[in-house]
Amino acid sequence: VPSVPRKKLTTLTFLQQSLTMILEDAVKKATDVRQKVCEWHSPEELKELLDLELRDSGEPEARILERCRDAIRYSVKTTHPHFFNQLYAGLEPYSLVASFITDALKPSLYTYEMSPVFTLMENAVLRKLIQTVGWEEGGDGLFNAGGSMSNMYALNLARYRHFPEIKELGNSAAPRLAVFTSQECHYSISKAAALMGIGTKNVFVVPSDKRGKMIPSALEEQIESVKSEGGVPFMVNATAGTTVLGAFDPIDEIADICEKNKLWLHVDACWGGAVLMSNKHKLLMKGIHRVDSVSWNPHKMLMACLQCSAFLVRDKTHLLQRCHSARASYLFQQDKFYDLSYDTGDKSVQCSRKPDAFKFWLMWKALGTSELEQRVDRALAMARYLADEITKREGFRLVMEPEYANVCFWYIPPSLRDLPDGPEFQEKLHNVAPVVKERMMKKGSMMVGYQPHRGQANFFRMVVISPQVSRQDMDFVLDEIHSLGKDL
């Protein structure tokens, strides 16, 4: 057999140089408030800067280090104190170290024999989260690749509980199923319905009140309406911390309706679940102990490294296992020499699965529950400070008083402040946020998201998370928006 030329194996020196560069550029500089949040380039410009083409021959390690440095340089620094664009932010050092370790070890969580340490750690974290939710009799769960996946698990489990024959016979074995969710819900509910063959037209959107909370009486009306038309309701999705407004649906009232109609109640708490860590704010999720399943992303408010997404189910009958099991004989042999209950992979729709729970376990060990509680309380206090400052400043107007870490507001430039509120004003105001966003991106000073909502003009949505953020940073945001938009 002819020999095949091989690139020299990566050396310890290369790894050491790479880690030094990562700590300097991706950690130290990326979290320095004096540095840019991003160095903006158009897609075509960036293609040229990165030299993306893959060639037959490899490059020397010195060049590869430059490639790494460029990847960091031109990426958005989500750990920067002035990054407020998404529902995650900030640097979490313990979780980052856990990420380094798991990527170095390359484990996968299908069987205990392949991942003994991380299997036990995932189990420990899940038990603690189940306890935090308030399921005194216990439950089940797993970590998976994002909140959208967790919401899909909820739909699949709910359908399986009502119609287990669908697993083998498909949707032809079921009547026309119906899912109910609020108009403020995450789009993953519709995506899951499409993926599972339920159909997006069988996802019934329940109106929300002016604060973005599902209206229970409207839910009850829709359930009765669907039944009268021959549909079969099987699940309600409530949201704890909606994406735009940060609203919390009234779980207790929705649970009453679900119990009355024998419906599975899932709560998408990917964003808002962190309030359960706070004695001061956990009442926002009053009634959570009554629900059937919960999605919760510790990579959001609690700042674990991406991705870290838990799906929890109030079940002790191995529903996850029964619903998803394929019994692959090359992985899940029944005559192994250890306790097979620790082979958790058949609960998942994935085969390979990263030990994401370790990223949460290590930071929880380092910080303790009390520090996690303080992290939540501080973020909400900072959001409150920002909202108060907005009400004091000319040219700024709250969309609504925040109850969580989402602070939504308009910036009104001086040229519009004397216009009466009408179609002309709204049309001009609608154009302000996109221009300010473009300017902040090109300057690299900060990142704040914006969107239209329910027919309202574009407004900014500030999301406050990181404990590294101060009141001075909140003031900077408002000052910078005015500086970038005062001429509009």
Side-chain angles (χ1 to χ4, degrees), residues 420-441:
D421 191 354
E424 181 188 0
F425 172 80
Q426 290 296 324
E427 182 181 351
K428 290 183 175 181
L429 181 61
H430 188 69
N431 296 326
V432 170
V435 176
V436 173
K437 179 62 179 283
E438 178 185 355
R439 290 176 176 180
M440 75 172 70
M441 291 287 291

Side-chain angles (χ1 to χ4, degrees), residues 26 43 47 64 68 76 120 141 145 185 244 283 310 314 320 326 345 347 419:
K47 286 177 187 177
I64 295 301
C68 295
V76 173
L120 296 179
C185 79
V244 177
L283 280 176
R314 188 179 58 159
L320 264 174
K347 296 179 184 180
L419 278 180

Side-chain angles (χ1 to χ4, degrees), residues 180 222-233 260-261 263:
F180 301 85
Q222 287 211 9
I223 291 170
E224 292 306 316
S225 176
V226 167
K227 284 180 178 179
S228 70
E229 295 170 0
V232 179
K260 173 184 170 184
N261 290 277
L263 305 181

Side-chain angles (χ1 to χ4, degrees), residues 140-432:
D140 200 358
L142 77 170
F143 278 73
N144 58 68
S148 293
M149 181 75 81
S150 295
N151 290 338
M152 186 195 77
Y153 272 106
L155 262 75
N156 205 33
L157 280 187
R159 182 176 66 172
Y160 180 79
R161 189 181 74 173
H162 284 80
F163 300 97
E165 61 272 21
I166 288 177
K167 179 177 178 180
E168 294 182 349
L169 301 178
N171 284 331
S172 61
R176 183 170 71 88
L177 300 175
V179 182
F180 301 85
T181 190
S182 86
Q183 67 187 94
E184 300 290 332
C185 79
H186 192 261
Y187 62 81
S188 58
I189 301 300
S190 289
K191 283 200 171 190
L195 182 67
M196 293 168 56
I198 293 170
T200 57
K201 288 192 174 179
N202 291 317
V203 177
F204 292 87
V205 177
V206 181
S208 300
D209 63 21
K210 62 183 181 181
R211 292 194 57 81
K213 301 172 182 288
M214 185 191 290
I215 302 172
S217 60
L219 169 64
E220 209 156 18
E221 290 170 9
Q222 287 211 9
I223 291 170
E224 292 306 316
S225 176
V226 167
K227 284 180 178 179
S228 70
E229 295 170 0
V232 179
F234 76 102
M235 174 181 152
V236 174
N237 172 71
T239 307
T242 58
T243 305
V244 177
L245 300 178
F248 287 74
D249 288 339
I251 296 172
D252 248 346
E253 295 174 65
I254 295 169
D256 289 340
I257 295 167
C258 288
E259 288 174 7
K260 173 184 170 184
N261 290 277
K262 295 181 170 59
L263 305 181
W264 182 287
L265 175 54
H266 172 67
V267 173
D268 175 356
C270 289
W271 172 222
V275 300
L276 293 175
M277 307 298 291
S278 167
N279 287 315
K280 184 177 182 180
H281 298 290
K282 64 184 179 183
L283 280 176
L284 287 169
M285 291 179 64
K286 185 176 180 289
I288 189 64
H289 64 285
R290 301 174 63 190
V291 312
D292 295 291
S293 57
V294 177
S295 301
W296 183 354
N297 288 1
H299 70 235
K300 291 187 174 176
M301 174 63 77
L302 296 179
M303 294 176 58
C305 285
L306 286 163
Q307 289 178 325
C308 191
S309 302
F311 173 69
L312 311 172
V313 56
R314 188 179 58 159
D315 171 76
K316 297 289 284 182
T317 68
H318 307 290
L319 191 65
L320 264 174
Q321 181 89 13
R322 290 185 285 120
C323 182
H324 298 129
S325 172
R327 300 190 179 95
S329 59
Y330 56 87
L331 281 176
F332 306 112
Q333 302 92 336
Q334 296 304 295
D335 52 1
K336 291 182 179 180
F337 62 92
Y338 58 84
D339 184 347
L340 297 181
S341 68
Y342 290 100
D343 283 0
T344 57
D346 228 10
K347 296 179 184 180
S348 171
V349 297
Q350 298 171 251
C351 181
S352 297
R353 191 164 60 90
K354 296 188 74 171
D356 293 327
F358 180 47
K359 293 180 284 193
F360 192 29
W361 180 90
L362 192 65
M363 62 175 272
W364 202 332
K365 275 285 193 182
L367 300 173
T369 306
S370 60
E371 179 63 31
L372 294 177
E373 178 179 16
Q374 289 173 32
R375 184 168 286 184
V376 175
D377 290 346
R378 189 179 188 282
L380 269 65
M382 201 60 65
R384 181 69 261 164
Y385 171 81
L386 177 65
D388 290 343
E389 288 301 303
I390 286 170
T391 61
K392 297 174 187 176
R393 293 200 182 206
E394 186 180 9
F396 288 86
R397 184 186 302 171
L398 284 172
V399 174
M400 58 182 275
E401 285 288 334
E403 67 175 347
Y404 194 40
N406 309 46
V407 182
C408 300
F409 63 93
W410 288 283
Y411 170 67
I412 305 166
S415 67
L416 303 184
R417 290 175 193 170
D418 294 329
L419 278 180
D421 191 354
E424 181 188 0
F425 172 80
Q426 290 296 324
E427 182 181 351
K428 290 183 175 181
L429 181 61
H430 188 69
N431 296 326
V432 170

Side-chain angles (χ1 to χ4, degrees), residues 3-11 14 55-65 67:
S3 62
V4 179
R6 292 172 54 196
K7 182 177 173 62
K8 192 175 81 172
L9 290 174
T10 300
T11 63
F14 173 72
R55 302 177 179 86
D56 292 340
S57 57
E59 297 179 339
E61 288 180 355
R63 188 72 186 97
I64 295 301
L65 283 171
R67 300 286 190 203

